[in-house]
Amino acid sequence: GAPYGPYRQSERGEIYNKLANKLLEEGKAYKCFSTKEELEEMKAKQEAEGVATRYDGTWRDADPELVQQKLDEGTGYTVRFKVPAGARVVIDDAVRGTVSWDAESTVGDFILMRSSGIPVYNFCVAVDDAAMGITTVVRAEEHLTNTLRQGLILDAMGAPRPKYAHCSLILGEDKQKLSKRHGATSCNQFRLEGFLPDAMINYLALLGWNDGTSNEIFQRYELIDAFDVNRVVKSPSIFDMNKLKWINSQHLKLMKVEEVTGLVNEQLELLGLWKEGADEEKVNEFTFAATALAKQMMETTRDAATNAQTVMQYGLPASFETLEEGEAKEMIKIGNFYPIAQTLIQLAESGELPLPDPKEPLAAFLDGNKKAITEDNETGGAAYSFPEAYKASMKQLAKDLKAKGKNLFHPVRLALTGEMSGQDVTKQLALLSLATAEDSVVDQEKAGVVPLSDRIAHLKTFCETIPEEFRAV
């Protein structure tokens, strides 16, 4: 089950000690008794002389009797690697090409084991690569200089060096090294924000790599087949959150509504929209509707949840005066809104405004074959269902008020949803119906739900504040 275990460095101490002792026995490493004060003095002197700071080899060829005396006295020591005279390390990096170092002048004799008996990072890495048969090491360019020490250790052990590929760093949009200030920094954080695992893998693979075509959307198995480390580029990549969202949206579009609902449900839970002990079947019903409603517009699964919350709320302000300058206010000034809103109020108060059928709560989201509708210009339901009745009602409204196109649909949308844009109104009203049903699983207070009856009352009050000059065409 674990041919190269144990895998935690903390559990591999015996392996590191054994190999350190082997290097000592072979004369490829030595015990160094230089104190912290001596090392600091050495460093200060080298800096004053303007030379590279490195260990000067005081204990490299020390008298064995002096070494034994120190051991007998119980003096602590580190184990240092004995860099061979004139040693050079040359690698053919898959990304950076040929890279070479003059080991003796660059690093000097470096530590393998601290005086505490704990091995240093580069010794652990080299030993693990050799012991576990690592053939290829792909890592950040920050580790390029570590390759010098690791290569020397591997050579001393008689182990083959892996193939190296040192990739450029991923930068934030400000061209600085990616860090917490640039946003999510863990896989789980991206998951909580509604990103799909396969979309993350897809996007990350494209940071510094391409398959030689213009294709940007890959399934996981396609990446496995197409990836070639020799196509990784040397220049750094910019982590573009908008590009990640676009790739995520493309992966979402490739999935069926039923495949996405579980992920949307998780987002609805994170928003705290469910009542305690909510019926699972009803939860699935609402989640299906929320997912189908947002399927074509959402970039993340969180978008479906926040969109559902927006649909359940009502954004029309208290008065015309408090309505922000913009598209909605200009539309009202044209004069179509007031008569249309008044007609909708009359239809709602008389019970003539078509409403979703509680017996068929998902009619607006299903086609004739009971399959999910995701295109916004498609309406669901049978010939006598709510969507068809609503459509007929709007046709009659258009005829009565001699309004059509955006002069009809924009005022109707603003009056019923409180927004100037969004998905099909029948689907929005259907979702609102699910949220306000007697057996609804939605916590209406937390979600900020505004039932249709309250919207009509609010709309009535709002219309009273519209100046006379904007009340008719």
Side-chain angles (χ1 to χ4, degrees), residues 281-282 284-286 288-290 292 355-366 370 380-381 385-387 426-437 439:
E281 186 177 339
K282 293 290 183 182
N284 293 338
E285 198 173 67
F286 184 92
F288 176 87
L355 299 174
D357 184 352
K359 295 178 182 178
E360 293 186 80
L362 298 180
F365 306 101
L366 298 170
K370 298 296 182 183
S385 63
F386 158 63
T426 63
K427 294 170 187 171
Q428 291 199 44
L429 293 178
L431 190 73
L432 179 65
S433 179
L434 285 169
T436 55
D439 58 353

PDB file of all heavy atoms in Angstrom, residues 281-282 284-286 288-290 292 355-366 370 380-381 385-387 426-437 439:
ATOM      1  N   GLU A 281     -37.106  17.203   0.174  1.00  0.00           N
ATOM      2  CA  GLU A 281     -37.721  17.206  -1.153  1.00  0.00           C
ATOM      3  C   GLU A 281     -38.039  18.631  -1.601  1.00  0.00           C
ATOM      4  O   GLU A 281     -37.814  19.004  -2.760  1.00  0.00           O
ATOM      5  CB  GLU A 281     -38.996  16.357  -1.148  1.00  0.00           C
ATOM      6  CG  GLU A 281     -39.613  16.187  -2.526  1.00  0.00           C
ATOM      7  CD  GLU A 281     -40.838  15.292  -2.517  1.00  0.00           C
ATOM      8  OE1 GLU A 281     -40.993  14.492  -1.566  1.00  0.00           O
ATOM      9  OE2 GLU A 281     -41.651  15.400  -3.463  1.00  0.00           O
ATOM     10  N   LYS A 282     -38.554  19.446  -0.675  1.00  0.00           N
ATOM     11  CA  LYS A 282     -38.871  20.835  -0.989  1.00  0.00           C
ATOM     12  C   LYS A 282     -37.603  21.662  -1.232  1.00  0.00           C
ATOM     13  O   LYS A 282     -37.581  22.561  -2.070  1.00  0.00           O
ATOM     14  CB  LYS A 282     -39.691  21.463   0.144  1.00  0.00           C
ATOM     15  CG  LYS A 282     -41.096  20.869   0.297  1.00  0.00           C
ATOM     16  CD  LYS A 282     -41.974  21.256  -0.868  1.00  0.00           C
ATOM     17  CE  LYS A 282     -43.386  20.740  -0.696  1.00  0.00           C
ATOM     18  NZ  LYS A 282     -44.242  21.083  -1.869  1.00  0.00           N
ATOM     19  N   ASN A 284     -34.822  20.463  -2.477  1.00  0.00           N
ATOM     20  CA  ASN A 284     -34.368  20.074  -3.818  1.00  0.00           C
ATOM     21  C   ASN A 284     -35.193  20.760  -4.907  1.00  0.00           C
ATOM     22  O   ASN A 284     -34.665  21.164  -5.942  1.00  0.00           O
ATOM     23  CB  ASN A 284     -34.436  18.554  -3.986  1.00  0.00           C
ATOM     24  CG  ASN A 284     -33.440  17.827  -3.106  1.00  0.00           C
ATOM     25  OD1 ASN A 284     -32.449  18.415  -2.687  1.00  0.00           O
ATOM     26  ND2 ASN A 284     -33.688  16.566  -2.828  1.00  0.00           N
ATOM     27  N   GLU A 285     -36.480  20.915  -4.644  1.00  0.00           N
ATOM     28  CA  GLU A 285     -37.382  21.550  -5.602  1.00  0.00           C
ATOM     29  C   GLU A 285     -36.997  23.015  -5.807  1.00  0.00           C
ATOM     30  O   GLU A 285     -36.877  23.498  -6.939  1.00  0.00           O
ATOM     31  CB  GLU A 285     -38.819  21.445  -5.067  1.00  0.00           C
ATOM     32  CG  GLU A 285     -39.901  21.656  -6.089  1.00  0.00           C
ATOM     33  CD  GLU A 285     -41.285  21.371  -5.505  1.00  0.00           C
ATOM     34  OE1 GLU A 285     -41.727  22.134  -4.624  1.00  0.00           O
ATOM     35  OE2 GLU A 285     -41.912  20.376  -5.924  1.00  0.00           O
ATOM     36  N   PHE A 286     -36.815  23.732  -4.702  1.00  0.00           N
ATOM     37  CA  PHE A 286     -36.444  25.141  -4.782  1.00  0.00           C
ATOM     38  C   PHE A 286     -35.067  25.297  -5.417  1.00  0.00           C
ATOM     39  O   PHE A 286     -34.852  26.187  -6.261  1.00  0.00           O
ATOM     40  CB  PHE A 286     -36.450  25.778  -3.388  1.00  0.00           C
ATOM     41  CG  PHE A 286     -36.173  27.261  -3.412  1.00  0.00           C
ATOM     42  CD1 PHE A 286     -37.213  28.170  -3.489  1.00  0.00           C
ATOM     43  CD2 PHE A 286     -34.869  27.753  -3.383  1.00  0.00           C
ATOM     44  CE1 PHE A 286     -36.966  29.540  -3.523  1.00  0.00           C
ATOM     45  CE2 PHE A 286     -34.609  29.108  -3.420  1.00  0.00           C
ATOM     46  CZ  PHE A 286     -35.662  30.004  -3.497  1.00  0.00           C
ATOM     47  N   PHE A 288     -33.536  23.295  -7.492  1.00  0.00           N
ATOM     48  CA  PHE A 288     -33.642  23.013  -8.923  1.00  0.00           C
ATOM     49  C   PHE A 288     -34.120  24.262  -9.671  1.00  0.00           C
ATOM     50  O   PHE A 288     -33.555  24.642 -10.705  1.00  0.00           O
ATOM     51  CB  PHE A 288     -34.628  21.857  -9.159  1.00  0.00           C
ATOM     52  CG  PHE A 288     -34.877  21.545 -10.611  1.00  0.00           C
ATOM     53  CD1 PHE A 288     -34.054  20.667 -11.302  1.00  0.00           C
ATOM     54  CD2 PHE A 288     -35.926  22.147 -11.291  1.00  0.00           C
ATOM     55  CE1 PHE A 288     -34.270  20.396 -12.646  1.00  0.00           C
ATOM     56  CE2 PHE A 288     -36.158  21.881 -12.637  1.00  0.00           C
ATOM     57  CZ  PHE A 288     -35.328  20.999 -13.313  1.00  0.00           C
ATOM     58  N   ALA A 289     -35.144  24.910  -9.142  1.00  0.00           N
ATOM     59  CA  ALA A 289     -35.688  26.110  -9.780  1.00  0.00           C
ATOM     60  C   ALA A 289     -34.656  27.238  -9.797  1.00  0.00           C
ATOM     61  O   ALA A 289     -34.475  27.920 -10.818  1.00  0.00           O
ATOM     62  CB  ALA A 289     -36.948  26.558  -9.047  1.00  0.00           C
ATOM     63  N   ALA A 290     -33.963  27.441  -8.680  1.00  0.00           N
ATOM     64  CA  ALA A 290     -32.955  28.504  -8.591  1.00  0.00           C
ATOM     65  C   ALA A 290     -31.802  28.248  -9.558  1.00  0.00           C
ATOM     66  O   ALA A 290     -31.264  29.182 -10.161  1.00  0.00           O
ATOM     67  CB  ALA A 290     -32.428  28.601  -7.158  1.00  0.00           C
ATOM     68  N   ALA A 292     -31.939  26.309 -12.426  1.00  0.00           N
ATOM     69  CA  ALA A 292     -32.429  26.453 -13.799  1.00  0.00           C
ATOM     70  C   ALA A 292     -32.562  27.931 -14.168  1.00  0.00           C
ATOM     71  O   ALA A 292     -32.242  28.344 -15.288  1.00  0.00           O
ATOM     72  CB  ALA A 292     -33.766  25.740 -13.958  1.00  0.00           C
ATOM     73  N   LEU A 355     -51.029  33.708 -11.958  1.00  0.00           N
ATOM     74  CA  LEU A 355     -50.046  33.388 -10.931  1.00  0.00           C
ATOM     75  C   LEU A 355     -49.638  31.923 -11.046  1.00  0.00           C
ATOM     76  O   LEU A 355     -50.384  31.104 -11.578  1.00  0.00           O
ATOM     77  CB  LEU A 355     -50.623  33.657  -9.537  1.00  0.00           C
ATOM     78  CG  LEU A 355     -51.027  35.102  -9.231  1.00  0.00           C
ATOM     79  CD1 LEU A 355     -51.704  35.162  -7.866  1.00  0.00           C
ATOM     80  CD2 LEU A 355     -49.810  36.012  -9.278  1.00  0.00           C
ATOM     81  N   PRO A 356     -48.444  31.563 -10.540  1.00  0.00           N
ATOM     82  CA  PRO A 356     -47.997  30.172 -10.589  1.00  0.00           C
ATOM     83  C   PRO A 356     -48.991  29.248  -9.879  1.00  0.00           C
ATOM     84  O   PRO A 356     -49.579  29.622  -8.860  1.00  0.00           O
ATOM     85  CB  PRO A 356     -46.650  30.214  -9.865  1.00  0.00           C
ATOM     86  CG  PRO A 356     -46.176  31.617 -10.034  1.00  0.00           C
ATOM     87  CD  PRO A 356     -47.415  32.459  -9.983  1.00  0.00           C
ATOM     88  N   ASP A 357     -49.157  28.060 -10.440  1.00  0.00           N
ATOM     89  CA  ASP A 357     -50.055  27.060  -9.863  1.00  0.00           C
ATOM     90  C   ASP A 357     -49.307  26.272  -8.786  1.00  0.00           C
ATOM     91  O   ASP A 357     -48.318  25.605  -9.088  1.00  0.00           O
ATOM     92  CB  ASP A 357     -50.534  26.107 -10.968  1.00  0.00           C
ATOM     93  CG  ASP A 357     -51.543  25.086 -10.461  1.00  0.00           C
ATOM     94  OD1 ASP A 357     -51.759  25.026  -9.240  1.00  0.00           O
ATOM     95  OD2 ASP A 357     -52.093  24.346 -11.305  1.00  0.00           O
ATOM     96  N   PRO A 358     -49.756  26.355  -7.531  1.00  0.00           N
ATOM     97  CA  PRO A 358     -49.077  25.617  -6.456  1.00  0.00           C
ATOM     98  C   PRO A 358     -48.985  24.115  -6.727  1.00  0.00           C
ATOM     99  O   PRO A 358     -48.094  23.440  -6.209  1.00  0.00           O
ATOM    100  CB  PRO A 358     -49.950  25.905  -5.226  1.00  0.00           C
ATOM    101  CG  PRO A 358     -50.677  27.169  -5.557  1.00  0.00           C
ATOM    102  CD  PRO A 358     -50.917  27.117  -7.030  1.00  0.00           C
ATOM    103  N   LYS A 359     -49.911  23.599  -7.554  1.00  0.00           N
ATOM    104  CA  LYS A 359     -49.883  22.167  -7.868  1.00  0.00           C
ATOM    105  C   LYS A 359     -48.799  21.826  -8.892  1.00  0.00           C
ATOM    106  O   LYS A 359     -48.395  20.681  -9.024  1.00  0.00           O
ATOM    107  CB  LYS A 359     -51.255  21.727  -8.407  1.00  0.00           C
ATOM    108  CG  LYS A 359     -52.369  21.837  -7.384  1.00  0.00           C
ATOM    109  CD  LYS A 359     -53.699  21.441  -7.993  1.00  0.00           C
ATOM    110  CE  LYS A 359     -54.842  21.595  -6.981  1.00  0.00           C
ATOM    111  NZ  LYS A 359     -56.157  21.262  -7.599  1.00  0.00           N
ATOM    112  N   GLU A 360     -48.346  22.849  -9.632  1.00  0.00           N
ATOM    113  CA  GLU A 360     -47.274  22.667 -10.612  1.00  0.00           C
ATOM    114  C   GLU A 360     -46.211  23.754 -10.400  1.00  0.00           C
ATOM    115  O   GLU A 360     -46.009  24.613 -11.245  1.00  0.00           O
ATOM    116  CB  GLU A 360     -47.814  22.744 -12.037  1.00  0.00           C
ATOM    117  CG  GLU A 360     -48.737  21.616 -12.433  1.00  0.00           C
ATOM    118  CD  GLU A 360     -49.105  21.692 -13.904  1.00  0.00           C
ATOM    119  OE1 GLU A 360     -48.269  21.264 -14.734  1.00  0.00           O
ATOM    120  OE2 GLU A 360     -50.198  22.203 -14.218  1.00  0.00           O
ATOM    121  N   PRO A 361     -45.529  23.708  -9.275  1.00  0.00           N
ATOM    122  CA  PRO A 361     -44.601  24.789  -8.921  1.00  0.00           C
ATOM    123  C   PRO A 361     -43.408  24.929  -9.870  1.00  0.00           C
ATOM    124  O   PRO A 361     -42.808  25.997  -9.956  1.00  0.00           O
ATOM    125  CB  PRO A 361     -44.142  24.414  -7.511  1.00  0.00           C
ATOM    126  CG  PRO A 361     -44.327  22.927  -7.443  1.00  0.00           C
ATOM    127  CD  PRO A 361     -45.562  22.654  -8.234  1.00  0.00           C
ATOM    128  N   LEU A 362     -43.069  23.854 -10.579  1.00  0.00           N
ATOM    129  CA  LEU A 362     -41.901  23.896 -11.460  1.00  0.00           C
ATOM    130  C   LEU A 362     -42.263  24.038 -12.933  1.00  0.00           C
ATOM    131  O   LEU A 362     -41.405  23.902 -13.813  1.00  0.00           O
ATOM    132  CB  LEU A 362     -41.045  22.633 -11.267  1.00  0.00           C
ATOM    133  CG  LEU A 362     -40.443  22.424  -9.872  1.00  0.00           C
ATOM    134  CD1 LEU A 362     -39.628  21.147  -9.824  1.00  0.00           C
ATOM    135  CD2 LEU A 362     -39.561  23.614  -9.474  1.00  0.00           C
ATOM    136  N   ALA A 363     -43.527  24.318 -13.225  1.00  0.00           N
ATOM    137  CA  ALA A 363     -43.983  24.396 -14.619  1.00  0.00           C
ATOM    138  C   ALA A 363     -43.150  25.356 -15.458  1.00  0.00           C
ATOM    139  O   ALA A 363     -42.852  25.072 -16.625  1.00  0.00           O
ATOM    140  CB  ALA A 363     -45.454  24.804 -14.658  1.00  0.00           C
ATOM    141  N   ALA A 364     -42.765  26.474 -14.880  1.00  0.00           N
ATOM    142  CA  ALA A 364     -42.008  27.478 -15.639  1.00  0.00           C
ATOM    143  C   ALA A 364     -40.601  27.017 -15.984  1.00  0.00           C
ATOM    144  O   ALA A 364     -39.949  27.598 -16.868  1.00  0.00           O
ATOM    145  CB  ALA A 364     -41.941  28.783 -14.841  1.00  0.00           C
ATOM    146  N   PHE A 365     -40.124  25.977 -15.284  1.00  0.00           N
ATOM    147  CA  PHE A 365     -38.731  25.546 -15.457  1.00  0.00           C
ATOM    148  C   PHE A 365     -38.595  24.238 -16.232  1.00  0.00           C
ATOM    149  O   PHE A 365     -37.485  23.748 -16.425  1.00  0.00           O
ATOM    150  CB  PHE A 365     -38.064  25.385 -14.080  1.00  0.00           C
ATOM    151  CG  PHE A 365     -38.174  26.616 -13.223  1.00  0.00           C
ATOM    152  CD1 PHE A 365     -39.110  26.699 -12.208  1.00  0.00           C
ATOM    153  CD2 PHE A 365     -37.353  27.713 -13.457  1.00  0.00           C
ATOM    154  CE1 PHE A 365     -39.216  27.837 -11.420  1.00  0.00           C
ATOM    155  CE2 PHE A 365     -37.457  28.856 -12.682  1.00  0.00           C
ATOM    156  CZ  PHE A 365     -38.389  28.917 -11.666  1.00  0.00           C
ATOM    157  N   LEU A 366     -39.715  23.656 -16.649  1.00  0.00           N
ATOM    158  CA  LEU A 366     -39.684  22.361 -17.337  1.00  0.00           C
ATOM    159  C   LEU A 366     -40.361  22.455 -18.695  1.00  0.00           C
ATOM    160  O   LEU A 366     -41.402  23.101 -18.847  1.00  0.00           O
ATOM    161  CB  LEU A 366     -40.385  21.297 -16.490  1.00  0.00           C
ATOM    162  CG  LEU A 366     -39.769  20.990 -15.115  1.00  0.00           C
ATOM    163  CD1 LEU A 366     -40.717  20.103 -14.315  1.00  0.00           C
ATOM    164  CD2 LEU A 366     -38.407  20.338 -15.266  1.00  0.00           C
ATOM    165  N   LYS A 370     -40.615  17.376 -19.525  1.00  0.00           N
ATOM    166  CA  LYS A 370     -40.227  17.472 -18.109  1.00  0.00           C
ATOM    167  C   LYS A 370     -38.709  17.611 -17.929  1.00  0.00           C
ATOM    168  O   LYS A 370     -38.158  17.207 -16.903  1.00  0.00           O
ATOM    169  CB  LYS A 370     -40.725  16.250 -17.309  1.00  0.00           C
ATOM    170  CG  LYS A 370     -42.237  16.095 -17.287  1.00  0.00           C
ATOM    171  CD  LYS A 370     -42.908  17.255 -16.578  1.00  0.00           C
ATOM    172  CE  LYS A 370     -44.425  17.097 -16.504  1.00  0.00           C
ATOM    173  NZ  LYS A 370     -45.082  18.263 -15.865  1.00  0.00           N
ATOM    174  N   GLY A 380     -41.702  27.385 -20.024  1.00  0.00           N
ATOM    175  CA  GLY A 380     -42.134  26.020 -19.747  1.00  0.00           C
ATOM    176  C   GLY A 380     -43.634  25.911 -19.626  1.00  0.00           C
ATOM    177  O   GLY A 380     -44.380  26.870 -19.850  1.00  0.00           O
ATOM    178  N   GLY A 381     -44.072  24.736 -19.241  1.00  0.00           N
ATOM    179  CA  GLY A 381     -45.488  24.523 -18.971  1.00  0.00           C
ATOM    180  C   GLY A 381     -46.284  24.073 -20.171  1.00  0.00           C
ATOM    181  O   GLY A 381     -45.892  24.266 -21.326  1.00  0.00           O
ATOM    182  N   SER A 385     -50.930  26.189 -18.696  1.00  0.00           N
ATOM    183  CA  SER A 385     -50.132  26.420 -17.491  1.00  0.00           C
ATOM    184  C   SER A 385     -49.933  27.911 -17.241  1.00  0.00           C
ATOM    185  O   SER A 385     -50.277  28.759 -18.079  1.00  0.00           O
ATOM    186  CB  SER A 385     -48.770  25.743 -17.630  1.00  0.00           C
ATOM    187  OG  SER A 385     -48.051  26.330 -18.704  1.00  0.00           O
ATOM    188  N   PHE A 386     -49.350  28.238 -16.087  1.00  0.00           N
ATOM    189  CA  PHE A 386     -49.093  29.627 -15.703  1.00  0.00           C
ATOM    190  C   PHE A 386     -48.286  30.403 -16.757  1.00  0.00           C
ATOM    191  O   PHE A 386     -48.684  31.521 -17.124  1.00  0.00           O
ATOM    192  CB  PHE A 386     -48.401  29.674 -14.336  1.00  0.00           C
ATOM    193  CG  PHE A 386     -47.637  30.939 -14.079  1.00  0.00           C
ATOM    194  CD1 PHE A 386     -48.295  32.169 -14.014  1.00  0.00           C
ATOM    195  CD2 PHE A 386     -46.258  30.918 -13.904  1.00  0.00           C
ATOM    196  CE1 PHE A 386     -47.583  33.345 -13.787  1.00  0.00           C
ATOM    197  CE2 PHE A 386     -45.553  32.089 -13.680  1.00  0.00           C
ATOM    198  CZ  PHE A 386     -46.211  33.303 -13.624  1.00  0.00           C
ATOM    199  N   PRO A 387     -47.166  29.850 -17.271  1.00  0.00           N
ATOM    200  CA  PRO A 387     -46.406  30.625 -18.259  1.00  0.00           C
ATOM    201  C   PRO A 387     -47.230  31.017 -19.480  1.00  0.00           C
ATOM    202  O   PRO A 387     -47.123  32.145 -19.983  1.00  0.00           O
ATOM    203  CB  PRO A 387     -45.259  29.674 -18.645  1.00  0.00           C
ATOM    204  CG  PRO A 387     -45.069  28.811 -17.435  1.00  0.00           C
ATOM    205  CD  PRO A 387     -46.457  28.590 -16.920  1.00  0.00           C
ATOM    206  N   THR A 426     -41.801  35.136 -15.735  1.00  0.00           N
ATOM    207  CA  THR A 426     -42.603  34.003 -15.263  1.00  0.00           C
ATOM    208  C   THR A 426     -41.775  33.094 -14.357  1.00  0.00           C
ATOM    209  O   THR A 426     -42.287  32.563 -13.367  1.00  0.00           O
ATOM    210  CB  THR A 426     -43.166  33.176 -16.438  1.00  0.00           C
ATOM    211  OG1 THR A 426     -42.102  32.604 -17.189  1.00  0.00           O
ATOM    212  CG2 THR A 426     -44.036  34.018 -17.333  1.00  0.00           C
ATOM    213  N   LYS A 427     -40.502  32.932 -14.697  1.00  0.00           N
ATOM    214  CA  LYS A 427     -39.639  32.084 -13.874  1.00  0.00           C
ATOM    215  C   LYS A 427     -39.332  32.750 -12.539  1.00  0.00           C
ATOM    216  O   LYS A 427     -39.256  32.090 -11.498  1.00  0.00           O
ATOM    217  CB  LYS A 427     -38.351  31.761 -14.636  1.00  0.00           C
ATOM    218  CG  LYS A 427     -38.592  30.891 -15.868  1.00  0.00           C
ATOM    219  CD  LYS A 427     -37.349  30.797 -16.727  1.00  0.00           C
ATOM    220  CE  LYS A 427     -37.674  30.063 -18.030  1.00  0.00           C
ATOM    221  NZ  LYS A 427     -36.577  30.129 -19.001  1.00  0.00           N
ATOM    222  N   GLN A 428     -39.166  34.066 -12.575  1.00  0.00           N
ATOM    223  CA  GLN A 428     -38.917  34.792 -11.323  1.00  0.00           C
ATOM    224  C   GLN A 428     -40.140  34.699 -10.398  1.00  0.00           C
ATOM    225  O   GLN A 428     -39.990  34.464  -9.186  1.00  0.00           O
ATOM    226  CB  GLN A 428     -38.588  36.247 -11.616  1.00  0.00           C
ATOM    227  CG  GLN A 428     -37.250  36.452 -12.309  1.00  0.00           C
ATOM    228  CD  GLN A 428     -36.745  37.874 -12.167  1.00  0.00           C
ATOM    229  OE1 GLN A 428     -36.810  38.464 -11.088  1.00  0.00           O
ATOM    230  NE2 GLN A 428     -36.241  38.426 -13.257  1.00  0.00           N
ATOM    231  N   LEU A 429     -41.328  34.873 -10.976  1.00  0.00           N
ATOM    232  CA  LEU A 429     -42.547  34.786 -10.161  1.00  0.00           C
ATOM    233  C   LEU A 429     -42.764  33.366  -9.649  1.00  0.00           C
ATOM    234  O   LEU A 429     -43.280  33.167  -8.540  1.00  0.00           O
ATOM    235  CB  LEU A 429     -43.752  35.247 -10.979  1.00  0.00           C
ATOM    236  CG  LEU A 429     -43.783  36.736 -11.356  1.00  0.00           C
ATOM    237  CD1 LEU A 429     -45.008  37.038 -12.207  1.00  0.00           C
ATOM    238  CD2 LEU A 429     -43.769  37.609 -10.104  1.00  0.00           C
ATOM    239  N   ALA A 430     -42.355  32.381 -10.453  1.00  0.00           N
ATOM    240  CA  ALA A 430     -42.475  30.983 -10.026  1.00  0.00           C
ATOM    241  C   ALA A 430     -41.558  30.702  -8.839  1.00  0.00           C
ATOM    242  O   ALA A 430     -41.946  30.007  -7.890  1.00  0.00           O
ATOM    243  CB  ALA A 430     -42.148  30.053 -11.185  1.00  0.00           C
ATOM    244  N   LEU A 431     -40.332  31.243  -8.882  1.00  0.00           N
ATOM    245  CA  LEU A 431     -39.412  31.053  -7.756  1.00  0.00           C
ATOM    246  C   LEU A 431     -39.946  31.769  -6.521  1.00  0.00           C
ATOM    247  O   LEU A 431     -39.866  31.242  -5.402  1.00  0.00           O
ATOM    248  CB  LEU A 431     -38.023  31.577  -8.107  1.00  0.00           C
ATOM    249  CG  LEU A 431     -36.931  31.219  -7.087  1.00  0.00           C
ATOM    250  CD1 LEU A 431     -36.571  29.741  -7.194  1.00  0.00           C
ATOM    251  CD2 LEU A 431     -35.678  32.069  -7.285  1.00  0.00           C
ATOM    252  N   LEU A 432     -40.489  32.974  -6.720  1.00  0.00           N
ATOM    253  CA  LEU A 432     -41.076  33.722  -5.601  1.00  0.00           C
ATOM    254  C   LEU A 432     -42.234  32.938  -4.993  1.00  0.00           C
ATOM    255  O   LEU A 432     -42.392  32.891  -3.762  1.00  0.00           O
ATOM    256  CB  LEU A 432     -41.569  35.086  -6.089  1.00  0.00           C
ATOM    257  CG  LEU A 432     -42.227  35.979  -5.033  1.00  0.00           C
ATOM    258  CD1 LEU A 432     -41.225  36.379  -3.961  1.00  0.00           C
ATOM    259  CD2 LEU A 432     -42.824  37.228  -5.690  1.00  0.00           C
ATOM    260  N   SER A 433     -43.027  32.283  -5.838  1.00  0.00           N
ATOM    261  CA  SER A 433     -44.149  31.479  -5.356  1.00  0.00           C
ATOM    262  C   SER A 433     -43.669  30.331  -4.482  1.00  0.00           C
ATOM    263  O   SER A 433     -44.267  30.025  -3.445  1.00  0.00           O
ATOM    264  CB  SER A 433     -44.943  30.935  -6.549  1.00  0.00           C
ATOM    265  OG  SER A 433     -46.014  30.133  -6.116  1.00  0.00           O
ATOM    266  N   LEU A 434     -42.570  29.690  -4.887  1.00  0.00           N
ATOM    267  CA  LEU A 434     -41.989  28.608  -4.076  1.00  0.00           C
ATOM    268  C   LEU A 434     -41.521  29.143  -2.720  1.00  0.00           C
ATOM    269  O   LEU A 434     -41.652  28.474  -1.695  1.00  0.00           O
ATOM    270  CB  LEU A 434     -40.806  27.974  -4.818  1.00  0.00           C
ATOM    271  CG  LEU A 434     -41.127  27.042  -5.984  1.00  0.00           C
ATOM    272  CD1 LEU A 434     -39.862  26.727  -6.778  1.00  0.00           C
ATOM    273  CD2 LEU A 434     -41.755  25.748  -5.480  1.00  0.00           C
ATOM    274  N   ALA A 435     -40.977  30.356  -2.739  1.00  0.00           N
ATOM    275  CA  ALA A 435     -40.436  30.947  -1.501  1.00  0.00           C
ATOM    276  C   ALA A 435     -41.527  31.392  -0.546  1.00  0.00           C
ATOM    277  O   ALA A 435     -41.303  31.466   0.669  1.00  0.00           O
ATOM    278  CB  ALA A 435     -39.529  32.122  -1.848  1.00  0.00           C
ATOM    279  N   THR A 436     -42.722  31.694  -1.080  1.00  0.00           N
ATOM    280  CA  THR A 436     -43.789  32.241  -0.228  1.00  0.00           C
ATOM    281  C   THR A 436     -44.913  31.236   0.027  1.00  0.00           C
ATOM    282  O   THR A 436     -45.901  31.575   0.695  1.00  0.00           O
ATOM    283  CB  THR A 436     -44.390  33.505  -0.874  1.00  0.00           C
ATOM    284  OG1 THR A 436     -44.824  33.193  -2.209  1.00  0.00           O
ATOM    285  CG2 THR A 436     -43.361  34.620  -0.946  1.00  0.00           C
ATOM    286  N   ALA A 437     -44.756  30.035  -0.500  1.00  0.00           N
ATOM    287  CA  ALA A 437     -45.782  29.007  -0.275  1.00  0.00           C
ATOM    288  C   ALA A 437     -45.900  28.695   1.210  1.00  0.00           C
ATOM    289  O   ALA A 437     -44.961  28.904   1.990  1.00  0.00           O
ATOM    290  CB  ALA A 437     -45.436  27.739  -1.056  1.00  0.00           C
ATOM    291  N   ASP A 439     -45.892  25.914   2.701  1.00  0.00           N
ATOM    292  CA  ASP A 439     -44.930  24.902   3.137  1.00  0.00           C
ATOM    293  C   ASP A 439     -43.517  25.203   2.639  1.00  0.00           C
ATOM    294  O   ASP A 439     -42.697  24.298   2.482  1.00  0.00           O
ATOM    295  CB  ASP A 439     -45.365  23.519   2.657  1.00  0.00           C
ATOM    296  CG  ASP A 439     -45.507  23.450   1.139  1.00  0.00           C
ATOM    297  OD1 ASP A 439     -45.398  24.512   0.479  1.00  0.00           O
ATOM    298  OD2 ASP A 439     -45.717  22.339   0.605  1.00  0.00           O
TER     299      ASP A 439
END
